[in-house]
Amino acid sequence: MMFDLVEKRALITGASGGIGSAIAESLHSQGATVILSGTRLDVLESLADKLGERAHATACDLSNLSGAQQLLKDCDGFVGGVDILVNNAGLSRDNLVLRMKDEDWDTVLGVNLTASFHLSKACLRGMMKQRFGRIINITSIVGLTGNAG
């Protein structure tokens, strides 16, 4: 076992995608209780069934603050808090600036940046109180190199 995460509670956003599900499987295999979050509940529930005990699935929309707040309420209901936060949710709506809709811009920033900020901020108080916590932010290489659009 690489890490002993028994009795640790990990929230993984974007767990319905390939990277997020692999992270969830890895943390679960190290003993963590995992909260799987994403937009596709059927995929999340399938992963939770595959993992078995200590896996909870909840769908949420992180493009707005109320979605992030509801996700944290769900976590409290499932396991009572978060010890490990993996901000992995992300999406792209790439387009040329002249063609990009304001709603697309707002959605991308809401999910890729603002949700990570709000989730991190909300989890920090509990992490500081218990003197343990980890926040892992996942991003795309496109953040460094850029793409057309």
Side-chain angles (χ1 to χ4, degrees):
M1 187 178 285
M2 188 183 233
F3 298 104
D4 181 5
L5 299 178
V6 174
E7 297 187 15
K8 300 298 182 202
R9 302 155 300 177
L11 168 59
I12 303 98
T13 67
S16 55
I19 294 171
S21 63
I23 291 168
E25 289 178 15
S26 179
L27 292 173
H28 188 269
S29 73
Q30 302 303 316
T33 297
V34 294
I35 302 97
L36 312 168
S37 171
T39 56
R40 297 177 292 162
L41 186 58
D42 57 330
V43 175
L44 297 169
E45 288 175 338
S46 177
L47 178 59
D49 289 343
K50 175 183 170 187
L51 295 175
E53 289 184 32
R54 302 184 340 270
H56 307 275
T58 184
C60 76
D61 176 6
L62 291 177
S63 67
N64 57 64
L65 178 58
S66 63
Q69 291 170 332
Q70 183 59 51
L71 175 57
L72 292 169
K73 288 178 187 174
D74 291 346
C75 288
D76 283 341
F78 287 138
V79 295
V82 175
D83 302 302
I84 303 165
L85 170 62
V86 181
N87 287 311
N88 175 64
L91 56 88
S92 72
R93 300 272 167 82
D94 292 347
N95 207 337
L96 298 176
V97 171
L98 293 174
R99 294 182 185 158
M100 181 172 260
K101 297 176 186 171
D102 290 344
E103 306 85 57
D104 289 340
W105 175 262
D106 291 341
T107 299
V108 169
L109 290 181
V111 172
N112 296 7
L113 295 175
T114 307
S116 295
F117 169 76
H118 287 295
L119 291 172
S120 297
K121 184 177 177 183
C123 289
L124 276 171
R125 179 171 280 119
M127 290 177 176
M128 291 173 64
K129 184 177 180 181
Q130 65 191 14
R131 303 176 72 81
F132 178 89
R134 301 292 184 267
I135 297 175
I136 302 159
N137 295 309
I138 308 293
T139 188
S140 167
I141 189 66
V142 176
L144 296 174
T145 61
N147 274 350

